[in-house]
Amino acid sequence: MDNKLMFERSQCPITNGLDIFGDKWTLLIIRDLVLGKRRYQELISSPENIASNILAHRLKRLEVAGLVTRRAYQQKPERYEYVLTEKGKDLKPVLEAISRWGTKHYPGTSVFRAVGQG
Amino acid sequence: MDNKLMFERSQCPITNGLDIFGDKWTLLIIRDLVLGKRRYQELISSPENIASNILAHRLKRLEVAGLVTRRAYQQKPERYEYVLTEKGKDLKPVLEAISRWGTKHYPGTSVFRAVGQG
DNA sequence: GACTATAACTTGCAATCCACAAGTCGGACG
DNA sequence: CGTCCGACTTGTGGATTGCAAGTTATAGTC
């Protein structure tokens, strides 16, 4: 019943995707999660230097949208990690397509393993 | 020699892509251009209701980045249209991937022809 | 037992960006 | 002379972003 933010701007699937990940940071977080990162500090330490408040905000949005799951990996003190759901993992082809476009038009760029040339 | 905005945040091709189209509107403009729209009013009249100042700003950025070309289609009065370069057209697979993700996870959405299921 | 470190955040604030409405400019048309 | 069209530009208030610093809970060290 959390479908009240669906079809916010239009019924276009691209629009609905962009309403979730249409910004400078979200797809980079997904990229890191696809690459196997799970913890807050790992995400923070990516070379793009995301601010901690932005990261927290994006992770919350991704959780609400059902792309990631937040869960405790230890108690005392409670520490949390983030993992992609199937819906989140399904963005891998999108990352691959962007990566292919980027490496073609900006030679010299490179991602790490797993999100390379598909 | 306009390569001073390359590698702004990192050498990741995804990051460099997002520095150009990482927002809520740019990929929708590209979608419209892929679908054959060319004129300002056509772009304005899309269902997502982009504001005119945002559209102007994004078109300028796309032109600077080399994804679209602005050219006059008539004189007296001068009127301009926008067409995708090869670099811009190369984003079609990205749009298709997003579209596929959107239609899978938000059933009921649909784009127009040409940017459908690939 | 105070002191430092770690991890996952939260808070405050200035700067920037965005959305909405309105206005501009150069003609064509009546 | 006045209205319309099309491609923008300008002004304003509100939302978002970026940066630095702070908070909370616990473990380890002196």
Side-chain angles (χ1 to χ4, degrees):
Chain A
M1 262 56 156
D2 58 4
N3 55 0
K4 62 176 168 302
L5 62 143
M6 283 165 67
F7 303 175
E8 242 174 63
R9 290 190 290 170
S10 78
Q11 286 116 308
C12 173
I14 298 172
T15 306
N16 282 278
L18 294 178
D19 283 340
I20 295 173
F21 53 78
D23 65 63
K24 268 171 50 181
W25 294 108
T26 304
L27 283 177
L28 296 181
I29 297 170
I30 307 261
R31 173 202 67 184
D32 286 347
L33 294 173
V34 165
L35 290 172
K37 297 190 179 183
R38 286 160 171 258
R39 305 213 310 246
Y40 205 85
Q41 291 303 318
E42 293 181 292
L43 296 169
I44 281 278
S45 65
S46 276
E48 289 86 10
N49 290 317
I50 189 170
S52 58
N53 54 346
I54 310 257
L55 176 58
H57 180 263
R58 294 300 186 278
L59 286 172
K60 211 159 284 170
R61 192 165 73 186
L62 286 172
E63 201 190 350
V64 169
L67 306 216
V68 306
T69 306
R70 179 180 184 261
R71 68 167 185 226
Y73 66 89
Q74 73 168 37
Q75 305 294 332
K76 302 168 91 34
E78 287 203 330
R79 291 291 145 81
Y80 299 94
E81 65 179 6
Y82 296 88
V83 288
L84 288 170
T85 62
E86 282 306 313
K87 187 175 176 183
K89 286 180 196 160
D90 283 347
L91 278 178
K92 213 178 149 187
V94 173
L95 291 175
E96 286 165 355
I98 296 176
S99 181
R100 239 172 276 129
W101 183 88
T103 46
K104 175 173 180 183
H105 294 282
Y106 296 95
T109 55
S110 66
V111 212
F112 327 93
R113 69 195 154 63
V115 188
Q117 303 310 304
Chain B
M1 261 56 152
D2 58 5
N3 55 359
K4 63 175 167 303
L5 61 143
M6 283 163 68
F7 304 173
E8 241 175 65
R9 289 191 289 170
S10 78
Q11 286 117 309
C12 173
I14 298 172
T15 306
N16 282 277
L18 293 178
D19 283 339
I20 296 174
F21 53 78
D23 65 61
K24 268 170 52 179
W25 293 109
T26 304
L27 283 177
L28 296 180
I29 297 170
I30 307 260
R31 172 201 67 183
D32 286 348
L33 293 174
V34 165
L35 290 171
K37 296 191 179 182
R38 285 160 172 259
R39 305 212 310 246
Y40 204 85
Q41 292 303 318
E42 293 182 292
L43 296 169
I44 281 279
S45 64
S46 276
E48 290 86 9
N49 290 316
I50 189 171
S52 58
N53 54 347
I54 310 260
L55 175 58
H57 179 263
R58 294 302 186 277
L59 286 172
K60 212 160 284 171
R61 192 165 73 186
L62 287 173
E63 201 190 350
V64 169
L67 307 217
V68 306
T69 306
R70 179 182 186 259
R71 69 170 185 221
Y73 65 90
Q74 73 169 37
Q75 305 294 331
K76 302 167 92 35
E78 288 202 330
R79 291 292 145 80
Y80 299 94
E81 65 179 5
Y82 296 89
V83 288
L84 288 170
T85 62
E86 282 305 312
K87 187 176 175 182
K89 286 180 197 161
D90 282 347
L91 278 178
K92 214 178 147 186
V94 173
L95 292 175
E96 287 165 356
I98 297 176
S99 180
R100 238 172 277 128
W101 183 88
T103 47
K104 175 172 179 185
H105 294 282
Y106 296 94
T109 55
S110 66
V111 212
F112 328 93
R113 70 197 152 63
V115 189
Q117 302 310 304

